[in-house]
């Protein structure tokens, strides 16, 4: 799990030589939690959700 917790998953399931790729996404809690990082912030989360939707739509478009 070094340096990222998801590192094992991408190394284990990603097999580029077999055209099987893995993508790891990590983000700061400030993108979906309040400033104290104790409560879910729907407004922040909705902004992040919209951004990620656009990013993945573009990624899919580029890969197609």
């Amino acid at each position: 799990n070094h340096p990222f917790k998801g590192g094992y998953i991408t190394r284990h399931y990603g097999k580029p030589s077999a055209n099987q790729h893995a993508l790891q996404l990590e983000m700061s809690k400030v993108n979906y939690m309040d400033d104290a990082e104790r409560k879910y912030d729907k407004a922040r989360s909705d902004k992040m959700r919209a951004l990620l939707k656009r990013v993945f739509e573009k990624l899919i478009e580029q890969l197609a």
Side-chain angles (χ1 to χ4, degrees), residues 11-56:
R11 286 189 304 276
H12 182 75
Y13 293 103
K15 296 177 177 61
S17 62
N19 202 31
Q20 180 176 317
H21 303 279
L23 177 68
Q24 178 176 323
L25 174 67
E26 296 190 17
M27 70 176 74
S28 172
K29 290 188 284 184
V30 73
N31 291 305
Y32 57 89
M33 302 288 286
D34 68 358
D35 288 333
E37 296 182 351
R38 293 177 186 225
K39 293 184 181 179
Y40 177 75
D41 186 312
K42 184 169 177 4
R44 288 182 181 182
S45 178
D46 286 346
K47 286 181 185 178
M48 184 54 56
R49 183 178 290 112
L51 174 67
L52 289 172
K53 184 176 189 288
R54 290 191 307 271
V55 167
F56 283 113

